[in-house]
């Protein structure tokens, strides 16, 4: 049965609000509005996406352009590869990705499947390490990629480890728009799935994120028994039915889970 999840809060709440830099916060909001589905933004679109006025959004975008983090064609702004320095530098500074990567590489070599580790951030999971054996998904996943927590195997492991009332709050503020015809969209049905995951200690997803993709995930514990992340294998639907995933892949996942618990502080 899953136990209490231990993760860093997504936002540090400061007691002294005089230390808060409002202009920096606005700039970060504008930066975060660039996503895979909205890679190019006009001033009006960025303002609408962030809730900022157009003048503020424009100043932020022009600042990013001046610093080399964005480029401007006269109407639309688009981020440049320079922005990767921010995310990749932060990921590289975290010890967890460095520790788990060799284990993922061995797991993928052993099973022939892609393996990943992620953490929970707001209503998404964020990939922090990955070993891609084959290309299953139509979108490329890498460290820093995000997917909705409620319809992913790693997300359900992490949500299932939360107290039930807290998990319900997460679900209530999540956009449950279906990604495929198989996606669960009813909050009660998702909560029932989380209860089952909480009890059995692993999660199986059958084509809820993308048709043709199944996955199985387990939590990763630190040496004190606290859940710090989730580990999964992604399997093509043609390779194995969902009902066979635990018999075929749970054992190697458990071995990595056990091995990492001895080294994660």
């Amino acid at each position: 049965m899953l136990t209490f999840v231990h993760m860093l809060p997504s936002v540090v709440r400061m007691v002294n609000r005089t230390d808060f830099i409002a202009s920096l916060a606005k700039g970060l909001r504008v930066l975060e509005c660039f996503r895979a589905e909205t890679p190019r933004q006009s001033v009006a679109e960025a303002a609408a996406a962030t809730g900022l006025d157009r003048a503020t959004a424009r100043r932020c975008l022009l600042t990013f352009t001046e610093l080399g983090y964005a480029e401007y064609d006269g109407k639309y702004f688009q981020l440049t590869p320079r922005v990767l320095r921010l995310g990749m530098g932060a990921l590289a500074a975290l010890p967890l990705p460095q520790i788990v990567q060799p284990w993922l590489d061995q797991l993928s070599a052993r099973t022939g499947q892609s393996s990943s580790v992620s953490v929970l951030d707001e209503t998404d999971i964020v990939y922090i390490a990955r070993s891609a054996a084959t290309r299953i998904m139509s979108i490329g996943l890498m460290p820093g990629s995000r997917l909705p927590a409620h319809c992913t195997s790693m997300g359900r492991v992490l949500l299932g480890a939360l107290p039930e009332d807290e998990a319900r709050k997460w679900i209530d503020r999540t956009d449950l728009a279906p990604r495929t015809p198989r996606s669960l969209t009813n909050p009660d049905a998702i909560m029932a799935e989380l209860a089952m995951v909480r009890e059995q200690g692993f999660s199986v997803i059958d084509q809820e994120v993308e048709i043709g993709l199944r996955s199985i995930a387990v939590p990763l514990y630190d040496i004190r028994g606290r859940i710090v992340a989730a580990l999964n294998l992604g399997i093509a639907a043609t390779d194995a039915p969902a009902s066979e995933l635990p018999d075929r892949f749970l054992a190697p996942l458990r071995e990595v889970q056990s091995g990492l618990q001895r080294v994660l502080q």
Side-chain angles (χ1 to χ4, degrees), residues 156-176:
R156 286 191 183 162
V157 162
L158 296 171
L159 290 174
L162 295 171
E164 186 173 355
D165 59 342
E166 189 173 345
R168 170 63 80 168
K169 291 178 183 177
W170 282 62
I171 296 301
D172 287 344
R173 66 173 184 262
T174 296
D175 179 4
L176 300 179

Side-chain angles (χ1 to χ4, degrees), residues 6-264:
H6 175 75
M7 289 171 290
L8 292 175
S10 58
V11 178
V12 177
R13 303 298 181 186
M14 295 179 297
V15 176
N16 186 358
R17 296 294 293 180
T18 61
D19 292 332
F20 186 81
I21 305 175
S23 57
L24 176 59
K26 292 174 182 177
L28 293 174
R29 284 166 62 184
V30 173
L31 194 64
E32 289 179 347
C33 79
F34 289 89
R35 299 176 178 272
E37 61 272 18
T38 54
R40 301 169 71 241
Q41 298 269 344
S42 66
V43 170
E45 289 168 341
T50 59
L52 300 173
D53 60 76
R54 293 181 57 158
T56 299
R58 178 177 178 274
R59 287 197 299 271
C60 292
L61 290 167
L62 290 175
T63 300
F64 293 144
T65 302
E66 179 67 22
L67 295 175
Y69 291 108
E71 55 188 16
Y72 182 46
D73 65 5
K75 182 177 181 180
Y76 292 103
F77 293 85
Q78 184 169 341
L79 298 183
T80 68
R82 184 183 179 91
V83 79
L84 294 175
R85 298 183 185 182
L86 303 176
M88 298 307 293
L91 283 173
L94 294 174
L96 186 57
Q98 299 172 16
I99 293 172
V100 303
Q101 189 62 55
W103 294 81
L104 292 185
D105 293 340
Q106 291 183 24
L107 179 62
S108 291
R110 175 181 175 183
T111 62
Q113 309 295 335
S114 296
S115 59
S116 306
V117 169
S118 71
V119 295
L120 201 58
D121 180 40
E122 296 297 336
T123 57
D124 293 338
I125 57 168
V126 179
Y127 284 73
I128 65 168
R130 180 166 170 80
S131 180
T134 55
R135 178 71 177 270
I136 306 173
M137 299 185 70
S138 60
I139 59 173
L141 292 175
M142 64 186 70
S145 296
R146 306 174 73 94
L147 286 174
H150 72 281
C151 61
T152 56
S153 59
M154 290 187 287
R156 286 191 183 162
V157 162
L158 296 171
L159 290 174
L162 295 171
E164 186 173 355
D165 59 342
E166 189 173 345
R168 170 63 80 168
K169 291 178 183 177
W170 282 62
I171 296 301
D172 287 344
R173 66 173 184 262
T174 296
D175 179 4
L176 300 179
R179 293 180 63 96
T180 78
R182 293 175 175 264
S183 300
L184 292 183
T185 57
N186 181 281
D188 291 335
I190 295 172
M191 289 299 297
E193 284 291 317
L194 296 184
M196 183 174 65
V197 170
R198 192 178 294 117
E199 182 64 31
Q200 65 189 14
F202 66 90
S203 174
V204 172
I205 293 293
D206 187 5
Q207 304 180 84
E208 290 192 46
V209 176
E210 183 169 317
I211 293 298
L213 173 68
R214 297 183 171 116
S215 64
I216 179 170
V218 297
L220 289 180
Y221 299 91
D222 67 10
I223 199 169
R224 300 176 184 174
R226 300 173 300 185
I227 295 175
V228 294
L231 163 71
N232 91 334
L233 285 171
I235 298 100
T238 53
D239 286 355
S243 60
E244 293 184 6
L245 297 191
D247 288 340
R248 290 184 57 178
F249 299 109
L250 194 55
L253 284 169
R254 294 289 197 207
E255 289 182 18
V256 174
Q257 178 191 56
S258 177
L260 281 171
Q261 186 171 6
R262 294 193 295 270
V263 298
L264 293 178

